[in-house]
Amino acid sequence: MQKCNDIVRAVDNGQLVPLVLLDLSSAFDTVDHDCLLSVFRHRFSVDGDAMTWFRSYLTDRTQTFVVGEDKHGPLPVNCSVPQGSVLGPIKFISYAEDVSELITNHGVSYH
């Protein structure tokens, strides 16, 4: 609640308060599997059986599109993770975790 009061106080004092909203829902569809595995290995020290499991989960995935009578695929998928998958929360954390560090390194306050 303190941070919200900071915003209200700043606005009341006539200060500029920029608002930047990040919609990360589509961004997860573009994360490359190799990049994600690299984040797991180097940033979170995932290795051994856990890394083998993640790699097997992300490797050789395909997707088929059906529109009416038209069927396209299977097509290789080298990015994204299916919605509702077990990797969803982990992917969010690994993707967003360093955003706060990036913002802080630039001396910007964020909520």
Side-chain angles (χ1 to χ4, degrees):
M1 189 63 172
Q2 177 61 34
K3 295 214 179 216
C4 290
N5 287 339
D6 293 346
I7 293 172
V8 171
R9 261 191 234 113
V11 170
D12 287 346
N13 291 332
Q15 295 175 324
L16 178 65
V17 179
L19 175 63
V20 177
L21 301 173
L22 299 176
D23 179 6
L24 300 177
S25 59
S26 294
F28 298 135
D29 294 338
T30 63
V31 174
D32 181 88
H33 289 169
D34 291 332
C35 179
L36 183 59
L37 290 170
S38 178
V39 168
F40 288 156
R41 177 176 300 281
H42 297 103
R43 192 151 182 95
F44 297 104
S45 301
V46 175
D47 63 0
D49 290 342
M51 181 56 84
T52 301
W53 183 86
F54 280 120
R55 185 174 287 111
S56 72
Y57 184 84
L58 296 171
T59 302
D60 296 328
R61 297 190 73 84
T62 61
Q63 188 170 26
T64 301
F65 297 92
V66 178
V67 179
E69 299 292 321
D70 296 331
K71 180 179 176 183
H72 304 278
L75 303 170
V77 176
N78 60 3
C79 61
S80 183
V81 172
Q83 290 182 353
S85 72
V86 295
L87 282 184
I90 294 169
K91 192 173 182 183
F92 176 81
I93 292 167
S94 65
Y95 186 80
E97 186 263 342
D98 58 348
V99 171
S100 61
E101 183 180 321
L102 176 69
I103 293 169
T104 301
N105 287 345
H106 287 85
V108 177
S109 177
Y110 67 94
H111 297 281

